[in-house]
Amino acid sequence: MDLYKSTDEEALIITGESTLERAADKISALGPKLIVLSCGEKGAYYYYQGIRGHLNAYDIETVDTTGAGDCFMGALLYKLLEKELQMNFNEKELAGIIDFCNAAGGLSISKRGGVTGIPSRGEVIRCLETMPKKKF
């Protein structure tokens, strides 16, 4: 499996590019099939074999951002393990995975503490079904 995950800022710095699209293209040329760039309160950008997109974060009140990135990454690994690490996504499926990660990372900031903020799968599902997304 070939996965690259960083923040949007890190991707721009390491590639020397000025847009996430160009940064993802440059990273993809190095081999990773799936590129996920977390964008903090603005959600996440993703790229996979020509499929690219950006999903806004959920509109959740911030209490403590400790562990949000770890929670996002844990959710991504969880979803990849559900697929038995098979790197074959269609556009809808990939957007669903990234949306799940956004919800998990977003919920983690609604409580104080990196570990105590980790949401359950059920909490993430409820967020996906009921919480509005931020608008930019």
Side-chain angles (χ1 to χ4, degrees):
M1 176 173 74
D2 298 287
L3 168 65
Y4 172 88
K5 193 285 182 191
S6 73
T7 68
D8 53 348
E9 292 173 347
E10 292 165 337
L12 295 175
I13 290 169
I14 66 166
T15 62
E17 295 295 344
S18 59
T19 68
L20 297 182
E21 293 79 10
R22 293 194 353 224
D25 289 342
K26 193 175 257 188
I27 293 166
S28 177
L30 298 173
K33 293 179 183 175
L34 175 59
I35 297 158
V36 179
L37 307 175
S38 54
C39 305
E41 70 173 336
K42 292 185 179 176
Y45 175 87
Y46 57 93
Y47 175 85
Y48 170 74
Q49 297 182 345
I51 300 170
R52 61 178 81 227
H54 180 271
L55 293 173
N56 287 346
Y58 284 86
D59 194 7
I60 298 170
E61 184 179 340
T62 301
V63 174
D64 181 5
T65 60
T66 303
D70 294 329
C71 195
F72 181 99
M73 185 63 183
L76 179 58
L77 293 174
Y78 168 77
K79 295 305 276 183
L80 293 176
L81 286 171
E82 271 191 338
K83 286 187 56 65
E84 299 178 357
L85 301 178
Q86 298 300 308
M87 295 290 278
N88 55 345
F89 310 103
N90 63 44
E91 193 167 348
K92 183 178 179 182
E93 181 179 35
L94 183 54
I97 289 169
I98 301 305
D99 206 26
F100 184 92
C101 297
N102 275 343
L107 287 170
S108 75
I109 68 170
S110 68
K111 299 176 188 169
R112 193 159 303 285
V115 174
T116 56
I118 298 171
S120 69
R121 183 180 181 281
E123 289 172 315
V124 174
I125 299 299
R126 277 190 297 285
C127 177
L128 291 168
E129 294 172 348
T130 64
M131 292 294 291
K133 291 189 177 183
K134 291 185 177 187
K135 299 197 188 296
F136 293 96

